[in-house]
Amino acid sequence: MLLSAKGLSKSFGGIRAVNNAYLEVPRGSITGLIGPNGAGKTTLFNLLSNFIRPDKGEVFLDGQPIHQLPPYQIALKGCVRTFQVARVLSRLTVLENMLLASPGQTGENFLKVWFQGAKIRQQEQENRAKALQILDSIGLGEKAQDYAGALSGGQRKLLEIGRALMTEPKLILLDEPAAGVNPTLIAQISDHIIEWNRQGITFLIIEHNMDVIMSLCHHVWVLAEGTNLADGIPSEIQKNERVLKAYLGD
Ligand code: ATP
């Protein structure tokens, strides 16, 4: 397993948002996480990436515990995430947004700015070339010099994924990549996910759009009221009576 979690719980006041949840994401898979509104999916993502500290439970990446690590260290270990509402820096250009995501930039160190100018310039050129290549691959190449704030909702989601790719991740956690995105762009995002997965990146995806889940995912986990309801291959989950009941109500 590339990512596994067990016994995860988180309450907000009296609300048990996630209650003793577990999950496994096999290396090389596209894994789905679904559930009705308020099931605790985003909270579970926040716990996996430690944006919120769990009350209880453990998370392992590549067999190593990560639940004590701050989010930036989890990202450096190869697990990055996107948000339900894409978080871009609106008043920076699309290219600048991408460049900010490059880890380990020598120019971030004050002393090295003075003594390693050539190395910094070379690294910046490499990062720029890599960013432009990724932007081209996600159809945002022509927007590189536009403000990120001028992008559509769907394009911002692509930019967020592009920024994640700059870190050369093993695992990307995608929170509703298709929400608020037009059908043409949804198809493009899905194609990209399949291609990046072929190149070796593992995905865990929260999504309400069942067509996207059913067409992309190798395995699907279902949460309801903060706890595990079912997991299995998409065609099984689609027919699972408990899952249907959770979505449709009693
Ligand atoms: P959706 O599909 O609608 O995005 P979800 O499955 O992602 O829902 P969560 O957003 O994780 O569900 O929310 C689970 C429960 O926890 C909900 O009842 C929600 O109101 C509550 N909740 C989530 N975050 C907080 C918070 N920061 N403070 C208080 N309650 C919260």
Side-chain angles (χ1 to χ4, degrees), residues 10 12-13 15-18 35-44 46 52 84 175-176 206 208 223:
K10 181 72 192 178
F12 298 106
I15 300 170
R16 285 184 146 189
V18 172
N37 287 325
K41 304 178 297 293
T42 296
T43 305
L44 183 55
N46 286 334
I52 295 178
Q84 207 167 335
D175 196 348
E176 296 199 32
I206 295 178
H208 281 291
L223 271 193

Side-chain angles (χ1 to χ4, degrees), residues 2 5 33 67 74 79 116 124 130 149 153 162-163 196 218 220 224:
L2 181 55
L33 176 60
H67 44 275
I74 294 176
C79 171
Q116 296 192 19
E124 284 180 351
K130 181 169 150 193
R163 245 178 7 195
W196 292 321
H218 307 134
V220 180

Side-chain angles (χ1 to χ4, degrees), residues 147-160:
Y147 284 118
L151 297 180
S152 72
Q155 289 169 333
R156 286 178 198 210
K157 292 207 169 197
L158 274 172
L159 174 56
E160 247 200 350

